[in-house]
Amino acid sequence: MKKISDLIKLFQSFFTIKGSASKKLFKKNEIHVSKATVATANERFVLIRAASLSVDFYECILDLYHDKEKNEAIHTTQQLLFDVSHAIGLKDGEYFQKKLPFINPATVLKVGRVLFANTGWMPITVFPGSKPSKDDNFILFFEHPSTFESHSWLKAGKKTDRPVCIMTSGYSSGLCEKLFGIPLVTTEITCRAKEDKSCIFVMAHPARITCYIKDYLKKNPEIAKEATHYEIQDFFKIKMAEVSLKKVNAALRATNRKLKSKSKALKEKNHVIELLSEFRELLPACATNEEVYTIFNQYVAKLFPNYRWGLWIYTEEKKKFQNVKTWGSMTDLEKRNFSFGDCFALRHDQIYKVNFSSSKPHCHHMPKKAEGYTCFPMALGDEIFGVVSVIFGRSKFSQESQAIFARFTDNMTLALSNIRLRESLLELSMHDYLTGLFNRRYMEETLKKEIAKATRGKSNIGLIMFDIDHFKNFNDTYGHEAGDTILINVGKFLKEHFREGDIICRFGGEEFVIILVGANKSFTLDRAENLREKFKNLPTQFGNKFLGHIEISIGVAVFPENGQTSRELLDAVDEALYRAKNDGRNRVRVATT
């Protein structure tokens, strides 16, 4: 009992803090041996063996994924630990806010450190240059003298080449994310477990952390020497897209609620509200932009049958606004494409109205002798989608009508943004973020489908697997950024030198897989040899440095000769690649199974 009491006192001695409310919060400690409970601030705390949440957890997951690539298993382990600890940090932050609701931002970190100490997570030292703020400029550089994770690895005598304090990172980012009210992620850049001097962390907004780490290491070259194999959890790439999607959906729901609340005061406009509600209910079900345009056309035509209007959508490829829908006599405008500067509504990002006989300047995309018209810009944040132009001629276009039309236009813009975000999420789920090639999961699923097709059609499938020889030397010599540049160039090269129907995938690290649908052994072997030769001319320049020539080792396998299933085929081609590397690298070997 005395040892547990001493432990709590030790936790509390890490930091002192001004303010009676926070002192009172952490003052009361209770220990009940008979009940096996330890309480601080009327909250029960648990003591868990540190190694079970660190080095032992790694070994457990690696054992579960023994049939997978080691890096994939490690990544899975880190993701699980990070997500769990981030969630715990969020809930602790929520608890903390309830206990001290009036705490100001300047005190958040100081009090947070006391909470860290009491929970056993992290008594920290904050470095100069840190700027904790409630926006995406938030940056925190800090050091932990003895994380439970690094201590566990060192005590177990285990070796690691990458930072292991994942739960410390996840917990700290979750807690501060809740307290500051902005998305945050923490990355450990040096770690005692891999024989660095200390455990140093960087916490920042997910969109800014990469830049902050780069600048920090540039200013601190002695730390940069130790900062290797650190990783920013990819959970946040998808999370940010999901958060944006939720915001769009929330905006749609909020607009709908606002319209419904006004319906009582505008009983005479029930027909308008009904149509607008129907329109809004249909939009989330739209799978393509064309469906949104068609629905917009149908509903606006019901409300404004006597007006003429046209819808122009911005195309990234042509850098122009192209007409996709018109209503009424608009044939003189249907084929007229225009640039951003041709429309005053787009220039000023607001509705632009020109009445009949008005002296206001006309938009260049409208007829010179156009009568009264209004342009509605379609934009959401920094994204520009298009513009809708309504010609009302010599009649009046009332403020009420303009407001209704703006509602329809805004809802259409939100729906188009929703579709774009869904497409972005789908892209993230299928492609490797660095090279733009298909990822391993997509490749494995596609290979199963192609094998089923080839079985029915009694055709072949060629499989090429290669990796870059001595790639670790590039990373060790020139740094990971140079290594990433090489991988990006490899992705571009593969896209240019293979058929459109071939499936090109980044298998993991510096390994790549190409599925050649309908290819026999002879054709696949020729493509592999040709690939090996052409790789020697692949640009390997990073900045002003020439990184040397690239050589690759290649394994080749063919369905059905070398395997009847995707697993058998991948094992066969992996074995061939292994022999190619063992036989001296820079060569092609065919599967023998």
Side-chain angles (χ1 to χ4, degrees), residues 307-308 352-358 362 366 369-375 389-397:
Y307 293 146
R308 296 182 294 150
Y352 186 74
K353 183 178 180 180
V354 178
N355 290 315
F356 173 68
S357 72
S358 172
H362 280 263
M366 300 299 290
K369 295 183 179 181
E371 297 176 312
Y373 70 89
T374 301
C375 290
S389 297
V390 181
I391 298 179
F392 50 86
R394 300 190 180 192
S395 60
K396 290 184 178 181
F397 192 53

Side-chain angles (χ1 to χ4, degrees), residues 109 125-133 137-142 201 203:
L109 276 177
T125 299
V126 177
F127 289 163
S130 299
K131 296 178 180 179
S133 58
N137 293 316
F138 181 104
I139 179 62
L140 192 69
F141 305 104
F142 61 91
F201 301 81
M203 184 192 302

